[in-house]
Amino acid sequence: MLRGSGSSGSVAVTVIGAMAQGGALVAQQRVADKSNEIPALAPLLSVLDLYGVGVTAKVLVEEMGAHFVLVVKRNQPALREACRLIPWSEVTARHKESEVGHGRLETRVVQAVTWTSLAFPHVKQVAQVTRHRTDRATGKRTRETVYLITDLSACEAPPETLGRYARGHWGVENKIHYVRDVTFGEDASRIRNGHGPQNASTLRSVAMNYLRTMGSSIADTKRPVALSPHKAPLDLFGVPTDLRLC
């Protein structure tokens, strides 16, 4: 949601996007006013070749030949409880990995089991992902458990593969939402008229994709660009600086 695009007489514009595993935003679609992202998902994904691709989303996209790996949200209490009640202590298929970053140690344990009795179509596997985080400065420890459902079989998606899908899904927050809100100040934007909010969002997405290829971080890359505001954007898109419009 583009929070700054709303006013007392109009609702804020909502835009959904499709992010590739590497962090690039590859498609974007405006959500109709007084609607939600589900009806907008089909036109969003229709421009992409998804045959055989795994998609993490909130709805099924089976008509496009894609597979789904869905995070079971807390607003689906019955489905989440059914996943929780699986006897996970007896599940032997698991994958464990650890990494250090952003001042914390994170360990993830992924367990997966073939399970076809959920009240959700086409599900072949359920996975439990448990994340243990330790703040290296304070020593504070936290634990979070999430559940995934997928139409991929155990042969197609063992626990390690499902763990990669989960990391990619969580990466949306760090690679897209955080950058847009903090680095680009999207929530503070007051562009409201016509297609302005959606167009500005698209320009931010294009800039993010290009800046991501130029340096270690988008924030670091923005600084030299800001020092040369008339030349750097042209260099970014390969436009000669001596080009003149007649």
Side-chain angles (χ1 to χ4, degrees):
M1 178 181 292
L2 309 180
R3 302 184 189 280
S5 63
S7 66
S8 59
S10 62
V11 297
V13 172
T14 298
V15 176
I16 62 171
M19 189 191 82
Q21 196 77 1
L25 201 65
V26 295
Q28 187 168 290
Q29 175 74 30
R30 178 171 178 169
V31 176
D33 294 344
K34 299 182 180 179
S35 183
N36 58 58
E37 67 251 21
I38 294 178
L41 187 61
L44 169 75
L45 299 181
S46 65
V47 299
L48 305 175
D49 180 8
L50 296 177
Y51 187 82
V53 174
V55 177
T56 59
K58 296 180 182 176
V59 296
L60 185 65
V61 287
E62 58 186 355
E63 68 274 10
M64 296 181 181
H67 295 288
F68 68 85
V69 181
L70 306 180
V71 176
V72 180
K73 302 287 188 177
R74 293 188 180 275
N75 61 2
Q76 302 165 309
L79 183 59
R80 182 178 172 83
E81 181 65 8
C83 294
R84 189 187 70 83
L85 291 176
I86 292 174
W88 293 106
S89 61
E90 302 174 14
V91 175
T92 58
R94 68 175 60 203
H95 173 72
K96 181 179 179 180
E97 59 186 5
S98 299
E99 64 181 7
V100 178
H102 305 288
R104 63 175 179 254
L105 169 65
E106 179 170 315
T107 300
R108 292 179 293 271
V109 179
V110 184
Q111 295 175 270
V113 61
T114 298
W115 204 266
T116 58
S117 59
L118 290 182
F120 197 96
H122 309 293
V123 170
K124 294 181 181 178
Q125 281 196 99
V126 179
Q128 177 181 261
V129 184
T130 305
R131 295 197 293 180
H132 301 269
R133 288 179 173 178
T134 302
D135 189 302
R136 303 184 74 189
T138 65
K140 180 181 178 180
R141 297 181 179 182
T142 60
R143 172 176 170 168
E144 178 187 17
T145 300
V146 299
Y147 299 98
L148 309 176
I149 55 176
T150 179
D151 69 331
L152 294 165
S153 68
C155 293
E156 295 171 311
E160 183 177 2
T161 300
L162 293 175
R164 287 201 302 269
Y165 279 124
R167 289 199 309 277
H169 186 82
W170 289 321
V172 172
E173 182 62 37
N174 294 328
K175 295 179 179 179
I176 301 295
H177 295 165
Y178 182 85
V179 174
R180 299 181 81 97
D181 296 342
V182 177
T183 307
F184 283 89
E186 185 169 75
D187 281 352
S189 174
R190 290 297 181 265
I191 300 174
R192 294 173 178 171
N193 295 333
H195 296 287
Q198 183 179 353
N199 292 339
S201 178
T202 299
L203 289 174
R204 293 186 196 101
S205 298
V206 172
M208 286 166 54
N209 287 348
Y210 276 92
L211 291 172
R212 203 177 292 280
T213 68
M214 294 180 61
S216 58
S217 74
I218 289 180
D220 290 341
T221 308
K222 277 185 61 183
R223 296 186 183 99
V225 172
L227 293 174
S228 183
H230 301 294
K231 181 176 181 297
L234 298 178
D235 293 341
L236 198 61
F237 295 99
V239 179
T241 56
D242 59 352
L243 182 64
R244 296 292 182 268
L245 296 178
C246 299

